[in-house]
Amino acid sequence: MTREERIEKAEAAGVEAILRDDICARSAMAGLRAAFPDMIPEEMVTACLSLAGGTGSASGSCGAYCAGLMAVGLKYNSTIAEELADPAHQKRGMDKFMEYRDRFLARWGTVLCPKIHAQLFGKEYNLADDADHTAFLAMPGHTEKCATVVASAVRMACEMILPEEDK
């Protein structure tokens, strides 16, 4: 499978998951797991439910962004033992997560769920507010539009992870 085929497989799996489940973070991680089953355990997909709706439905950082960030971290972050032995090890992971952040910001202009909502729907939704959350979930097409964010987060993470694997 080529690099681009792996990326497309991951995107398709992420989009399929969000269209089925309407859970951005878990869907993004499921897509990433489809491309990297040896790196991303199923437990990571399960844990990502907690990141949905702007991390814990708190309207913070986008769940799809957070899932991609975690996958990049799995690939590039050092262990605590490695950092204790040589504090310079931490810089590699930090450089990579800041690169991922910058790529996401270049595409969406923000990492915040409500600000992305404003771009997609013309209105910010506060998912910590019950009425806003209910209105968001009832809005026709919200899942399809959020799927575009999942697909881009998955693609960005894959593009960062795959160059190292291809060497």
Side-chain angles (χ1 to χ4, degrees):
M1 184 179 304
T2 69
R3 177 180 187 271
E4 186 58 28
E5 287 170 340
R6 271 181 95 176
I7 293 170
E8 289 173 3
K9 175 182 179 179
E11 279 182 312
V15 168
E16 177 185 335
I18 193 166
L19 293 176
R20 181 191 63 226
D21 303 332
D22 195 13
I23 302 170
C24 57
R26 188 171 70 189
S27 299
M29 190 62 77
L32 289 160
R33 187 171 191 291
F36 308 107
D38 295 335
M39 184 181 90
I40 299 174
E42 184 64 34
E43 292 83 2
M44 287 290 292
V45 177
T46 301
C48 277
L49 173 61
S50 301
L51 300 175
T55 56
S57 284
S59 286
S61 293
C62 166
Y65 164 75
C66 291
L69 193 62
M70 290 177 65
V72 169
L74 277 172
K75 176 69 177 181
Y76 294 108
N77 290 351
S78 301
T79 65
I80 293 172
E82 289 169 332
E83 288 180 20
L84 290 173
D86 181 1
H89 276 274
Q90 188 181 68
K91 183 168 176 12
R92 177 180 178 218
M94 290 177 69
D95 288 347
K96 290 296 185 178
F97 75 65
M98 287 188 283
E99 178 185 345
Y100 177 80
R101 176 206 60 204
D102 292 346
R103 287 180 180 208
F104 196 90
L105 285 170
R107 169 59 182 92
W108 294 102
T110 184
V111 299
L112 297 176
C113 187
K115 300 292 183 192
I116 293 170
H117 289 166
Q119 291 178 49
L120 297 174
F121 312 113
K123 176 187 185 310
E124 290 186 20
Y125 289 88
N126 176 358
L127 300 181
D129 176 82
D130 288 340
D132 253 13
H133 199 170
T134 299
F136 175 76
L137 292 176
M139 184 179 24
H142 83 270
T143 307
E144 291 79 5
K145 288 185 178 182
C146 287
T148 64
V149 181
V150 168
S152 70
V154 168
R155 174 168 282 278
M156 289 174 209
C158 285
E159 288 172 347
M160 289 185 65
I161 294 166
L162 283 170
E164 291 290 321
E165 278 193 359
D166 289 347
K167 290 183 181 177

